[in-house]
Amino acid sequence: MSDAYLSFANSRLGSVITSILGLPQPQPLRRFSRHQPVLDGEVLVGAGPQPGLLEALVASFSAMQAKTLAHDSLPQWTAIANAAGLMSGRWAVGDAPGMRVDALVFDATGLRDVVDAEPLYHYLHDAIRSVRPSGRIVLLGRSADGCVNPGQAVVQQALEGLMRSVAREARRGITVQLLRVAHAAEPMLEGALRFLLSPRSAYVSGQVITLTSPAGWMGAKVDWQQPLAGRTILVTGASRGIGEAIADVLGRDGARLVCLDVPQAQAALDTVATRLDARGVVLDITADHAPAELAALAAEMGGWDGVIHNAGITRDRTIARMRPELWQQVVAVNLQAPARINEALLTAGALKPGARVVCLSSISGIAGNAGQTNYAFSKAGLIGLVRSHSEAFASRSMAINAVAPGFIETAMTAAIPFAIREAGRRMNAMSQGGQTIDVAEAVAWLASPASAGVNGQVLRVCGQSLLGA
Ligand SMILES: NC(=O)c1ccc[n+]([C@@H]2O[C@H](COP(=O)([O-])OP(=O)(O)OC[C@H]3O[C@@H](n4cnc5c(N)ncnc54)[C@H](O)[C@@H]3O)[C@@H](O)[C@H]2O)c1
């Protein structure tokens, strides 16, 4: 559904009126198109004392062919980067203002005390206005369990509040994230940066993502143009909406697809499957025989490399008015079916090593929502599912994560009454709803080897929604 206010606010007259009235001024977000480089312009690199990721950053930026600049907090970057064949220079020499950049990346992994954060304050203070619209800001830190003393744990946790506040202030389609990199997870940095710095993460902001080093990880050579080439992935609920967008993006990234939907959606499913040269499966995932049927199909196809549990329904009522069948239907489709299917696939050995499962949760499962008790229960349950199963998946060299969309422009949200819909759309740092492609890009990243080191986590695709913040 189109967002008429977004178009109006970006017209000549609309921008004047919205500015005078102090109304939200959503920026049209830049989205990824095939063969586009990760970044068009420069990355301004800064760091606090004892940065732990400079080598990994040099390797990542070299592989991305990104151009970098050194902030005053990291003057040694110029020499390090140039020695690695990365063209680099100083930013804002003397009193000269710094040039505009596409991204800010600050290595805060060495911060051990609150006073160590001063270079970060200066860096953000100096540079935030120099980030171009739809630019990116990534702070790199450590997680509490990687901290050697309480002082370090304090300042590393403090980064979260800083990052979330900068994300609310940045506006102009700029996203801000905190990436916590565990010791030994440095090789995973490139895949995460490629997602977070590129337009693929257009509607992901204010997020904390942790990279760990998966046990027995041997490294994976990723074809960055086709990161899913050679992988077979099941997408449930693929005939329309977010599921269709996921199938499109996974197909674009090289996956061989199995697209599933209910019998009532067969015509639309056939269209999607034909377009993507995918295998169409007509099946109700709540049917008793569904898990065994899917496990048998996966085995027949030589095993699957991923499953996207996207199929979901709403049957909204307040808890007082909720009839038992409405509760049961929602819980059965959204939560029990994914759990049973995972179980069957794992038991049958039908998921290949390296397989990645992604569950579609929701902001409602994090923040709760009046009238959605059954839905919020099921979507919060999915978060429990990914967290509680992550170790078992890791022990098989696999990963399971969730994506929690906020307000996404779909048939479902178009049906919401106007006033509530407008409120839902604007209650986030981007002042607009997300597109189905934004969810699909996040799912595609989590389904690919580019997200190695991410397991048992929930990635919100919500434009930093105020709900559940
Ligand atoms: N649209 C949003 O703003 C939003 C926000 C948060 C989360 N989500 C979640 O994203 C997912 C996709 O949402 P959407 O807006 O595209 O929904 P949608 O209703 O457009 O599509 C859901 C698909 O799932 C299929 N499906 C439903 N029950 C099924 C069953 N028993 N077996 C097999 N397939 C079944 C439907 O036929 C449909 O094709 C859902 O899990 C939803 O809860 C959506």
Side-chain angles (χ1 to χ4, degrees), residues 21 30 35 47 59 130 163-164 187 190 192 211 222 227 247 278 353 357 363 384:
L21 297 179
R30 209 158 65 94
H35 303 304
S130 299
M163 175 279 290
R164 289 196 207 281
E190 181 185 344
L211 294 180
V222 185
V357 171
I363 289 297

Side-chain angles (χ1 to χ4, degrees), residues 15 66 107 111 116 141 191 228 257 290 313 336-337 384 405 435:
S15 70
D107 184 347
L111 271 52
D116 290 349
L228 294 170
L257 292 165
I313 59 170
Q336 288 171 304
Q435 303 292 330

Side-chain angles (χ1 to χ4, degrees), residues 44 56 58 79 108-109 119 128 137 189 236 250 276 287 358 391 435 438:
L44 178 62
V58 166
T109 54
I128 185 113
I137 302 178
L189 185 62
T236 69
L250 298 186
L276 297 171
V358 184
E391 272 189 35
Q435 303 292 330
D438 300 327

Side-chain angles (χ1 to χ4, degrees), residues 47-131:
Q50 302 175 57
L53 294 173
L54 296 189
E55 259 181 53
L57 283 174
V58 166
S60 301
F61 290 139
S62 302
M64 288 177 212
Q65 298 181 326
K67 289 170 271 171
T68 62
L69 293 166
H71 181 255
D72 270 354
S73 60
L74 190 63
Q76 68 271 38
W77 177 262
T78 313
I80 299 171
N82 283 335
L86 252 181
M87 285 288 287
S88 191
R90 296 275 302 277
W91 182 83
V93 180
D95 287 338
M99 62 189 278
R100 306 256 277 168
V101 293
D102 265 20
L104 307 182
V105 174
F106 189 94
D107 184 347
T109 54
L111 271 52
R112 302 214 162 189
D113 188 275
V114 172
V115 292
D116 290 349
E118 276 192 27
L120 174 55
Y121 151 73
H122 286 292
Y123 172 81
L124 291 170
H125 176 79
D126 293 352
I128 185 113
R129 290 196 196 90
S130 299
V131 182

Side-chain angles (χ1 to χ4, degrees), residues 32-36 194 200 220-233 247-257 276 444-445 447-450:
F32 179 74
S33 57
R34 233 178 141 177
H35 303 304
Q36 193 180 340
R194 279 182 181 267
R200 291 176 197 259
K221 185 136 184 53
V222 185
D223 171 352
W224 297 111
Q225 292 302 324
Q226 295 257 285
L228 294 170
R231 297 192 149 226
T232 306
I233 302 177
D248 280 334
V249 171
L250 298 186
R252 176 202 73 192
D253 285 355
R256 176 187 177 210
L257 292 165
L276 297 171
W445 177 59
S448 85

Side-chain angles (χ1 to χ4, degrees), residues 128 158-171 176 206 429 464:
I128 185 113
L159 294 178
E160 197 173 317
L162 173 68
M163 175 279 290
R164 289 196 207 281
S165 301
V166 173
R168 296 222 181 273
E169 290 178 4
R171 301 168 194 267
V176 189
Q464 202 188 16

